[in-house]
Amino acid sequence: MSQKIINTDDLAFLLYEMLDIERFTQFPRYADHSRDTFDAAIELALKVGAETFAPHNHLCDADEPRFENGKVVIRKEVSEALAVLRETGLMAASQDYERGGMQLPAAVAQTCIGLIKGANVSTQAYAGLTIAACNLIMAHGSDEYKQRFAEPMMAGRFFGTMCLTEPHAGSSLADIKSRAVPAGDGSYRISGNKIFISAGDHELSENIVHLVLAKLPDAPPGVKGISLFIVPKFLVNEDGSLGERNDVQLAGLIHKMGYRGTTSTMLNFGEKGGAVGYLVGEAHQGLAQMFHMMNEARIGVGLGSVMLGYTGYLHALEYARERRQGRPLKERNPESPMIPLIEHADVRRMLLTQKAFVEGGLSLCLFASTLVDEKKHAQSAQERDDAAGLLDLLTPIVKSWPSQFCLEANSLAIQVHGGYGYTREYPVEQFYRDNRLNPIHEGAHGIQGQDLLGRKVSMKDGQYYQGLLKRIRQTLADCAGEAELKTSCGLLGAALETLTGVTDALQSMRKEDPERALANAYLYMECFGHVVVGWMWLRQAQAALRGLKQGGERPQAFYQGKLNTCEYFLRYELPKPLALAEVLRNADRTTLDMPEECF
């Protein structure tokens, strides 16, 4: 199977040699599984991605959805691909057997999803949003709602969305105006306008289940007054059959620079008296409930960013090996043969940077996925709590770091292609445009930085932050005796001490002047993210060195490449954000003190 979605050696290395996901078969939920079943699911996902999703990726970019005669028109390949996802069981890879799922560990399920994302992120978005919405209903909905809405979503008959953003409010959810009025029969009538709703309307499924944030008449102001409602496109009868069209109208399609195959919509609720909605869980708890889906979506955004960067890297690598241009600097004969691009030092720099970002980002996302299972199934309550807390701490980084630096990988992939990279005849420009949306998906860098510094680091009096430091220091101690890792350990250890000093200073400042302390939260997150990815790289190098010494499953050149890339990341990339550590430590006021009239 020819594909440029993933390096399968790298994927197997991360899953089995670095993360040891076979250990999850010890949990009762996964006792039926083995490495063979994991590999079979991953191989299936890669095949579906390469043969069913990838072929229409460019077609949907060039021929995006249209709004005609009151309906959305989408290329038939999208529906065909999603049907394959349903039929193979990949639509619900992590769900229970009795609900038609494969009951795979999160790391394996996320791997399968990631491979589809790397093949065609815009078509996969319909399925990804559906499963995230389904998981929220399963976590917070009543048994009736699980049966009426979630189970058809698992089966791929209904698709799902999340409806947060409103035209006037943007990311400020405290200011939403959508309203929900009790109807007297247990349901509510929803009215309001939502914008930028991905997959908000289409003809790809029997029904669309919208998860909508709105406020009740007695709601307290701000985010504490937000409730969550299920609002289906078509009402669903008690026997599961579809009823009449609900009062949800497509106001228009939004045409974005990337993800062009995914409908981005403006939706109006309640133009004809009120859309029928059903309260999920308790009133005024909607934002906390929605975070169940948003956090899952944030990990999904990070993984999608990685996979777009990864496929761009593989395309650039192939191009650099095949394209001949120029000659060695010492070669004076203009008639001598040209050499492959990859033999030029600056091209190697660009490829090495891409490799460092995408393989580091993938290890980060897969590590986060292992925490999903550990927080549910680890043996002791303390282990479960530690995993849950660490996942909460890392979620803003998992979302934001790949969407910034794997996007940079896409930019470098274009540059490796030279002038051809800027043309539509080569796919790397589309990968960049698709990935450029991810810095805004599920919260911009500034929002994620404020979440990390303003909330996550200080959770439980810093318990989970200290737990992360302990894990990183343990890896440094474990690697200290390896001569091949001495330089890498020194670089990461110094960066870690810089980060802890900055964190202490900002946490102290935050008590006195939170606006000043959080003014450069985006930079803090870059520093924090680079240290965490540096840790991931040291863990990869540790596993690679073991493979070299013990005769691992992969070629020696593969393992040596991991060691070299680890040192490259720690030597070249890690110092860049940390060079501004003093700006953070001093809680610099430059951005706060710039008068508006001076812009």
Side-chain angles (χ1 to χ4, degrees):
M1 174 176 41
S2 176
Q3 55 88 19
K4 289 189 284 292
I5 298 170
I6 194 74
N7 177 343
T8 53
D9 266 335
D10 182 38
L11 183 58
F13 167 80
L14 293 175
L15 290 174
Y16 299 117
E17 296 184 55
M18 176 189 163
L19 297 173
D20 184 26
I21 64 164
E22 287 182 272
R23 61 193 164 94
F24 289 134
T25 60
Q26 299 173 10
F27 295 152
R29 177 174 174 79
Y30 307 123
D32 292 342
H33 284 293
S34 65
R35 179 168 178 174
D36 288 341
T37 61
F38 295 162
D39 285 345
I42 292 168
E43 184 178 348
L44 174 63
L46 186 56
K47 179 179 174 64
V48 169
E51 297 180 1
T52 306
F53 278 73
H56 70 275
N57 190 36
H58 180 67
L59 297 175
C60 287
D61 182 70
D63 182 18
E64 56 188 309
R66 305 181 305 280
F67 189 20
E68 295 180 356
N69 300 320
K71 292 186 177 181
V72 177
V73 178
I74 299 176
R75 291 187 65 95
K76 62 181 179 62
E77 292 92 343
V78 176
S79 178
E80 292 168 354
L82 292 170
V84 171
L85 212 59
R86 289 193 295 267
E87 293 160 6
T88 56
L90 290 168
M91 184 84 175
S94 64
Q95 301 296 333
D96 298 346
Y97 290 138
E98 55 266 31
R99 297 187 183 276
M102 295 183 178
Q103 205 161 304
L104 290 170
V108 182
Q110 286 293 333
T111 295
C112 294
I113 292 168
L115 295 172
I116 304 296
K117 285 176 181 283
N120 187 326
V121 72
S122 64
T123 295
Q124 193 281 332
Y126 295 100
L129 286 164
T130 297
I131 294 304
C134 170
N135 288 341
L136 187 152
I137 296 171
M138 292 300 296
H140 298 288
S142 65
D143 289 341
E144 177 190 353
Y145 296 163
K146 291 175 186 178
Q147 182 178 4
R148 188 181 294 192
F149 300 108
E151 291 187 5
M153 294 166 78
M154 288 183 203
R157 291 176 43 230
F158 295 1
F159 282 4
T161 76
M162 56 178 173
C163 301
L164 292 76
T165 308
E166 298 184 5
H168 66 284
S171 300
S172 181
L173 295 179
D175 297 312
I176 66 171
K177 295 181 179 179
S178 293
R179 290 293 179 263
V181 178
D185 59 357
S187 68
Y188 296 78
R189 295 299 175 266
I190 313 297
S191 60
N193 311 105
K194 299 290 184 177
I195 195 169
F196 299 131
I197 308 306
S198 297
D201 199 29
H202 50 72
E203 303 295 318
L204 298 170
S205 57
E206 298 174 26
N207 204 356
I208 302 175
V209 178
H210 301 290
L211 294 180
V212 181
L213 293 183
K215 292 186 175 182
L216 293 164
D218 61 346
V223 295
K224 294 182 179 180
I226 296 174
S227 298
L228 178 64
F229 299 87
I230 294 172
V231 184
K233 179 178 178 179
F234 292 95
L235 299 180
V236 181
N237 299 317
E238 290 186 6
D239 63 359
S241 63
L242 296 186
E244 63 184 17
R245 175 74 183 257
N246 204 357
D247 190 4
V248 182
Q249 302 299 323
L250 174 63
L253 295 179
I254 301 165
H255 301 283
K256 294 183 177 179
M257 66 183 291
Y259 275 71
R260 290 181 177 178
T262 308
T263 56
S264 181
T265 64
M266 297 175 283
L267 298 178
N268 293 338
F269 294 85
E271 286 187 340
K272 301 176 181 179
V276 177
Y278 307 93
L279 179 66
V280 178
E282 297 181 12
H284 316 317
Q285 299 298 312
L287 191 57
Q289 294 161 353
M290 183 61 88
F291 265 110
H292 186 284
M293 183 174 181
M294 289 170 65
N295 285 335
E296 184 173 336
R298 284 172 176 173
I299 295 173
V301 168
L303 182 60
S305 301
V306 167
M307 296 310 300
L308 284 166
Y310 210 126
T311 188
Y313 163 60
L314 294 181
H315 279 80
L317 179 60
E318 180 181 75
Y319 186 84
R321 284 173 167 160
E322 294 178 352
R323 168 74 172 179
R324 291 181 173 271
Q325 187 174 314
R327 294 168 179 82
L329 291 176
K330 293 181 179 180
E331 179 56 67
R332 302 298 184 185
N333 181 6
E335 294 183 353
S336 63
M338 291 189 291
I339 59 176
L341 283 174
I342 199 170
E343 294 187 23
H344 295 288
D346 198 55
V347 174
R348 290 188 182 218
R349 171 191 65 83
M350 290 189 283
L351 292 171
L352 194 50
T353 305
Q354 291 174 70
K355 181 179 174 69
F357 287 163
V358 303
E359 293 182 9
L362 182 58
S363 64
L364 171 66
C365 291
L366 293 179
F367 171 69
S369 298
T370 66
L371 296 175
V372 172
D373 278 314
E374 289 180 10
K375 77 173 185 177
K376 295 177 181 177
H377 307 297
Q379 188 169 10
S380 70
Q382 185 62 58
E383 289 174 311
R384 294 192 294 273
D385 183 69
D386 288 346
L390 182 56
L391 182 61
D392 277 348
L393 173 67
L394 292 180
T395 293
I397 296 168
V398 173
K399 183 273 164 186
S400 223
W401 192 93
S403 65
Q404 180 172 356
F405 293 99
C406 292
L407 175 65
E408 175 61 20
N410 285 122
S411 178
L412 291 169
I414 291 174
Q415 194 71 9
V416 167
H417 280 73
Y420 293 110
Y422 295 82
T423 69
R424 294 184 182 178
E425 283 68 35
Y426 285 77
V428 287
E429 68 87 28
Q430 182 188 338
F431 299 150
Y432 180 88
R433 286 188 290 102
D434 285 342
N435 218 355
R436 188 60 187 83
L437 271 65
N438 284 322
I440 198 68
H441 283 158
E442 305 308 324
H445 294 316
I447 291 173
Q448 303 297 336
Q450 289 185 1
D451 182 38
L452 176 65
L453 179 57
R455 294 180 57 248
K456 299 300 178 62
V457 168
S458 57
M459 279 191 308
K460 289 265 189 97
D461 294 323
Q463 173 183 328
Y464 303 122
Y465 165 68
Q466 292 298 331
L468 173 63
L469 299 183
K470 183 178 179 181
R471 290 188 186 221
I472 297 175
R473 288 174 177 142
Q474 184 61 57
T475 302
L476 288 167
D478 292 343
C479 296
E482 302 288 358
E484 297 89 341
L485 302 179
K486 181 178 179 181
T487 298
S488 294
C489 285
L491 293 166
L492 180 60
L496 183 65
E497 293 312 306
T498 299
L499 178 66
T500 56
V502 164
T503 303
D504 291 344
L506 288 175
Q507 289 294 83
S508 177
M509 172 64 71
R510 195 165 66 87
K511 297 173 183 177
E512 305 168 11
D513 190 347
E515 186 176 31
R516 181 179 172 187
L518 294 174
N520 297 304
Y522 82 95
L523 178 57
Y524 177 79
M525 188 171 62
E526 285 185 24
C527 293
F528 203 121
H530 265 56
V531 169
V532 170
V533 174
W535 174 44
M536 292 292 104
W537 266 115
L538 185 58
R539 290 187 59 184
Q540 289 193 61
Q542 182 184 25
L545 186 60
R546 187 166 57 245
L548 278 175
K549 291 184 174 181
Q550 299 177 6
E553 299 177 32
R554 269 144 277 288
Q556 285 201 337
F558 173 88
Y559 291 126
Q560 189 60 53
K562 286 292 185 183
L563 293 173
N564 293 353
T565 310
C566 171
E567 189 163 329
Y568 171 82
F569 180 82
L570 296 173
R571 189 185 292 278
Y572 282 75
E573 300 300 331
L574 180 58
K576 290 179 180 178
L578 290 163
L580 294 175
E582 284 306 307
V583 170
L584 284 169
R585 195 189 309 272
N586 297 326
D588 183 78
R589 293 188 54 92
T590 301
T591 55
L592 289 174
D593 292 344
M594 177 68 171
E596 180 182 342
E597 62 271 17
C598 293
F599 281 96

